[in-house]
Amino acid sequence: MDNVYNYKLIQENETVLGIVDDDDADLYTNARGSPISLTYYGFCLANGNYTVNLHFAEIVFTNGTTYKSLGRRVFDVYIQGERVLKDFNIAKEAKGIGKAIIMNFSAYVSSNELEIRLYWAGKGTTGLPFRSQYGPLISAISVTSELRSLDQQTGLFSLHQIKAATNNFNISNKIGEGGFGPVYKGILRDGTIIAVKQLSSKSKQGNREFINEIAMISALQHPCLVKLYGCCVEGDQLLLVYEYMENNSLSYALFGPKAHQIKLNWPTRHKICVGIARGLAFLHEESRLKIVHRDIKATNVLLDKYLNPKISDFGLARLHEEDATHISTRIAGT
């Protein structure tokens, strides 16, 4: 990254027009600029669609009679290597000096990394006394997942999205049947492959499982636990949306139709057993929330394309209180 300068709005003899939106005024009294380029990275992001909000306000150039009023700032903006703004002029787009403007963009993260770059590209003023005045300038950046948050943990999907992804729950997309309803394969508009679990809205037990699943798994992240993308509660539909596991369940791999059975050698079986144990160790000992699954079986162990196991189906799980035993004589699961 080139030399970076931090700017603070200082009122001198010249006038900077009042910054709009009083609630966010403080956001635009500081900015970061560079003579040539500014690059920002977001690492360890979940893959998927994001909304990128870039906050700008021209607080370096001013309205007046000195050189500070003569500058013209023009630059390009790239997100994930794609140019999204060309010849961008903050003051022109915001219709004035010291006026805030937010530019919104959609970005897709496919390798857990987001890159945002602002580049001078040889445009704008170059002859002012301070060379750093003419380069790109930005006040703030915010990045939000397009999956709207449910208690800031779980995404909400619309029924329209789910129907489009599963071709209206077409039977050809059905990949399984659980105790509380069928599971369908789906593809979101961004290409993300998902598994949609459809629960019966008339079943009280199904309702409990639905709420329990969201509460339990949305609070947990581990390589050996299946990832919950979100849910849909619309009309008479209760839907859970998970990451798609290419090799279905361990039960399906071992005992499913002959054409779909997988010959698992002993190293692979060992890897699967250790993965299950790691997932359980995380639930029992390592997680901030201590959880007992209560329904571990081959059907509830899913396999990804590399035959790595992930524990699923937390509908019967319960929190383990430190001063209480996890042993129960009450029948649960199968």
Side-chain angles (χ1 to χ4, degrees), residues 292-312:
V292 182
H293 188 282
R294 300 204 302 168
D295 200 17
I296 291 294
K297 56 186 178 182
T299 306
N300 290 340
V301 175
L302 304 182
L303 303 174
D304 68 11
K305 61 181 177 181
Y306 303 111
L307 298 177
N308 294 310
K310 297 196 179 188
I311 297 171
S312 70

Side-chain angles (χ1 to χ4, degrees), residues 98-166:
K99 290 186 176 293
I101 183 170
I102 304 173
M103 306 298 290
N104 304 307
F105 304 96
S106 294
Y108 181 65
V109 172
S110 59
S111 57
N112 307 108
E113 181 180 314
L114 176 66
E115 179 185 288
I116 302 168
R117 187 184 185 205
L118 293 77
Y119 182 53
W120 168 58
K123 306 162 187 175
T125 300
T126 61
L128 292 179
F130 300 102
R131 298 193 66 213
S132 63
Q133 300 279 2
Y134 58 78
L137 184 81
I138 190 164
S139 297
I141 297 174
S142 62
V143 178
T144 308
S145 171
E146 287 192 6
L147 299 180
R148 293 172 293 170
S149 65
L150 175 62
D151 194 23
Q152 300 182 341
Q153 300 266 0
T154 308
L156 286 175
F157 290 83
S158 69
L159 184 57
H160 175 76
Q161 283 178 293
I162 302 300
K163 284 186 173 181
T166 61

Side-chain angles (χ1 to χ4, degrees), residues 78-323:
Y78 294 80
I79 298 178
Q80 299 295 66
E82 179 182 349
R83 186 167 61 187
V84 295
L85 285 176
K86 185 177 185 295
D87 300 336
F88 180 63
N89 184 317
I90 298 173
K92 180 179 178 182
E93 295 297 328
K95 295 181 171 54
I97 299 295
K99 290 186 176 293
I101 183 170
I102 304 173
M103 306 298 290
N104 304 307
F105 304 96
S106 294
Y108 181 65
V109 172
S110 59
S111 57
N112 307 108
E113 181 180 314
L114 176 66
E115 179 185 288
I116 302 168
R117 187 184 185 205
L118 293 77
Y119 182 53
W120 168 58
K123 306 162 187 175
T125 300
T126 61
L128 292 179
F130 300 102
R131 298 193 66 213
S132 63
Q133 300 279 2
Y134 58 78
L137 184 81
I138 190 164
S139 297
I141 297 174
S142 62
V143 178
T144 308
S145 171
E146 287 192 6
L147 299 180
R148 293 172 293 170
S149 65
L150 175 62
D151 194 23
Q152 300 182 341
Q153 300 266 0
T154 308
L156 286 175
F157 290 83
S158 69
L159 184 57
H160 175 76
Q161 283 178 293
I162 302 300
K163 284 186 173 181
T166 61
N167 192 18
N168 199 20
F169 303 105
N170 192 291
I171 190 65
S172 64
N173 287 324
K174 187 176 177 180
I175 56 176
E177 181 82 31
F180 299 100
V183 180
Y184 296 88
K185 178 182 178 181
I187 303 177
L188 298 175
R189 290 183 62 184
D190 63 14
T192 301
I193 303 177
I194 57 174
V196 180
K197 183 178 182 181
Q198 188 178 42
L199 288 84
S200 171
S201 61
K202 297 178 181 179
S203 166
K204 290 184 179 180
Q205 192 174 9
N207 289 341
R208 285 194 299 270
E209 186 201 51
F210 181 81
I211 298 300
N212 208 43
E213 186 95 357
I214 294 173
M216 292 291 183
I217 201 170
S218 64
L220 304 170
Q221 295 290 331
H222 189 273
C224 296
L225 303 181
V226 71
K227 183 175 182 180
L228 177 68
Y229 286 148
C231 64
C232 172
V233 182
E234 193 171 323
D236 62 349
Q237 296 285 347
L238 297 177
L239 304 165
L240 291 168
V241 181
Y242 301 92
E243 63 177 319
Y244 176 69
M245 303 294 282
E246 289 82 351
N247 282 303
N248 209 293
S249 70
L250 177 59
S251 175
Y252 194 77
L254 293 173
F255 311 117
K258 289 275 186 189
H260 297 283
Q261 288 183 13
I262 302 174
K263 292 184 178 179
L264 303 176
N265 57 32
W266 284 112
T268 301
R269 291 171 183 246
H270 177 266
K271 178 179 74 170
I272 292 171
C273 290
V274 170
I276 296 169
R278 284 177 176 160
L280 290 174
F282 173 77
L283 293 173
H284 296 170
E285 303 294 340
E286 301 165 10
S287 170
R288 181 174 58 86
L289 299 174
K290 304 300 186 289
I291 291 174
V292 182
H293 188 282
R294 300 204 302 168
D295 200 17
I296 291 294
K297 56 186 178 182
T299 306
N300 290 340
V301 175
L302 304 182
L303 303 174
D304 68 11
K305 61 181 177 181
Y306 303 111
L307 298 177
N308 294 310
K310 297 196 179 188
I311 297 171
S312 70
D313 232 322
F314 285 74
L316 296 177
R318 71 174 186 182
L319 291 173
H320 171 48
E321 298 175 5
E322 295 292 343
D323 58 349

Side-chain angles (χ1 to χ4, degrees), residues 53-67:
N53 300 312
L54 304 180
H55 302 253
F56 299 99
E58 183 55 73
I59 64 171
V60 178
F61 299 149
T62 59
N63 290 322
T65 57
T66 68
Y67 71 87

